[in-house]
Amino acid sequence: MKVDLFDFNLPESLIAQTPLLNRSDSRLMVLDKNTGGLTHTVFRNITEYLKPGDCLVLNDTKVLPARLYGVKDETGAKIEVLLLKQLESDEWETLVKPAKRVKTGTEIIFGEGKLKAICTEEHEHGGRILKFKYEGIFYEVLEALGEMPLPPYIKEQLDDRDRYQTVYAKERGSAAAPTAGLHFTNELLQLLKEKGVHITFLTLHVGLGTFRPVSVDNVEKHDMHAEFYQMPEETANIINQVRENGGRIISVGTTSTRTLETIASANNGKIVPSSGWTDIFIYPGYEFKGIDGMITNFHLPKSTLIMLVSALAGREHVLHAYETAVKEEYRFFSFGDAMLII
């Protein structure tokens, strides 16, 4: 299957650079996955499309202020560091720029010495293993010195870092936000609960592979990045009960989808409490076992995310929906508008 099958024309002007003042004021396109039919509304009206007994599954990961700016101890040269994954103790897998300035043994200083790091390993494409030194609690130091790692296509500065967090973010560890959840407010979640919709949570820490372009011609040859997930027992029990009662499982975002499908695929369609790493790659031809519908944002051309959405709703239906979104000037990507597929 050719990657070019998932291409479409996207004017740069439609890439949302800033969040809306009110989260749930974003537009919502509802796509019927069976017919391809489209409905246009606003996100706060999602209550009209979810039924009592349905279950929303949200990703409660919390984005780390993972971008750090420091200087080399020897020369004062400026170094940018992006934290990717905590390894053991105070060692982290990172990306550094410019990588040629950071060799094994290089010391980097942040915040006038409040945080220091020594490079212990060099990897390709700017990857470095850094061991950090500090006083106190690492995450508190990071909160004081770090910046939100906004995606590369967002050029504007974010005035309020909480706008790149969901209102229910809890488990620290992501390098990027699960952006489909950014549209929810606490008030909207309460309205859904009052309607009888189950609100449940899992955790998947989003890695930077989310933004990695597909660099091969054939979809099947793309290597998917691995991300860590946790499925709590309470969430698993609710999902299985909803399924038994005939309710729909609606995942919020591609991250929740990948977690549910990873677990369901390994357990004959059942959701079990578990944790681990998933590198599942979902594209057309895949048979869904864990979800009935999903909420998602509008994604990059030729990305693994649009391939996943196409697997659920059909490539032709999705591309028609995206063409319509461009024509109707929907906002795209992290701070953009939303799509409900049911």
Side-chain angles (χ1 to χ4, degrees), residues 18-34:
T18 53
L20 297 178
L21 184 61
N22 296 308
R23 293 173 183 260
S24 57
D25 281 351
S26 54
R27 295 167 74 185
L28 176 68
M29 179 186 289
V30 183
L31 170 60
D32 186 315
K33 64 183 181 182
N34 297 313

Side-chain angles (χ1 to χ4, degrees), residues 269-334:
K270 190 175 176 65
I271 301 298
V272 300
S274 55
S275 65
W277 293 84
T278 178
D279 60 357
I280 190 170
F281 182 17
I282 298 173
Y283 53 87
Y286 177 85
E287 278 191 37
F288 284 84
K289 306 163 191 70
I291 69 167
D292 302 295
M294 73 180 296
I295 298 167
T296 187
N297 281 18
F298 290 91
H299 304 295
L300 279 165
K302 299 197 286 189
S303 64
T304 59
L305 305 178
I306 194 173
M307 293 172 193
L308 185 155
V309 173
S310 296
L312 181 62
R315 188 182 69 87
E316 290 184 359
H317 288 168
V318 169
L319 287 182
H320 174 253
Y322 271 59
E323 287 170 9
T324 304
V326 169
K327 182 181 176 183
E328 297 294 329
E329 297 187 336
Y330 274 69
R331 289 156 48 94
F332 276 68
F333 307 155
S334 297

Side-chain angles (χ1 to χ4, degrees), residues 124-171:
E124 59 183 7
H125 306 306
R128 297 290 185 272
I129 304 300
L130 299 183
K131 185 173 180 64
F132 287 92
K133 296 185 292 182
Y134 53 91
E135 291 185 5
I137 299 171
F138 178 76
Y139 287 110
E140 290 183 359
V141 176
L142 189 62
E143 286 288 339
L145 299 180
E147 293 185 5
M148 280 299 190
L150 294 178
Y153 47 75
I154 293 179
K155 312 300 181 187
E156 299 282 337
Q157 290 295 317
L158 189 62
D159 294 331
D160 179 3
R161 65 167 60 178
D162 283 342
R163 291 310 307 273
Y164 195 58
Q165 302 277 21
T166 60
V167 296
Y168 46 80
K170 186 174 71 169
E171 303 294 338

Side-chain angles (χ1 to χ4, degrees), residues 82-267:
L82 187 63
L83 305 181
L84 296 181
K85 183 170 69 177
Q86 187 170 14
L87 303 175
E88 293 183 7
S89 184
D90 292 315
E91 283 199 317
W92 283 76
E93 180 183 325
T94 71
L95 283 177
V96 303
K97 290 196 305 188
K100 62 184 179 182
R101 290 181 177 168
V102 180
K103 306 294 185 185
T104 301
T106 297
E107 185 172 42
I108 309 169
I109 298 173
F110 309 92
E112 298 180 343
K114 292 178 183 174
L115 182 66
K116 298 179 181 179
I118 292 181
C119 177
T120 58
E121 290 180 34
E122 298 175 44
H123 295 174
E124 59 183 7
H125 306 306
R128 297 290 185 272
I129 304 300
L130 299 183
K131 185 173 180 64
F132 287 92
K133 296 185 292 182
Y134 53 91
E135 291 185 5
I137 299 171
F138 178 76
Y139 287 110
E140 290 183 359
V141 176
L142 189 62
E143 286 288 339
L145 299 180
E147 293 185 5
M148 280 299 190
L150 294 178
Y153 47 75
I154 293 179
K155 312 300 181 187
E156 299 282 337
Q157 290 295 317
L158 189 62
D159 294 331
D160 179 3
R161 65 167 60 178
D162 283 342
R163 291 310 307 273
Y164 195 58
Q165 302 277 21
T166 60
V167 296
Y168 46 80
K170 186 174 71 169
E171 303 294 338
R172 289 185 298 213
S174 265
T179 54
L182 294 177
H183 307 281
F184 285 99
T185 62
N186 287 317
E187 293 77 14
L188 184 54
L189 289 170
Q190 184 59 36
L191 284 174
L192 288 166
K193 287 180 186 176
E194 291 171 1
K195 184 171 182 176
V197 176
H198 299 276
I199 307 296
T200 60
F201 299 93
L202 54 77
T203 304
L204 181 137
H205 293 316
V206 188
L208 280 201
T210 294
F211 306 121
R212 186 159 61 93
V214 179
S215 57
V216 295
D217 293 330
N218 291 319
V219 171
E220 295 87 347
K221 293 184 178 179
H222 177 68
D223 290 325
M224 198 69 179
H225 58 286
E227 295 169 317
F228 182 76
Y229 71 86
Q230 290 180 299
M231 170 59 68
E233 182 175 5
E234 180 183 5
T235 300
N237 291 341
I238 292 171
I239 290 172
N240 291 324
Q241 190 64 56
V242 166
R243 183 58 58 76
E244 284 179 23
N245 293 340
R248 298 176 299 177
I249 308 302
I250 311 294
S251 59
V252 179
T254 56
T255 58
S256 297
T257 300
R258 293 178 67 236
T259 304
L260 291 167
E261 292 301 322
T262 295
I263 298 170
S265 295
N267 297 281

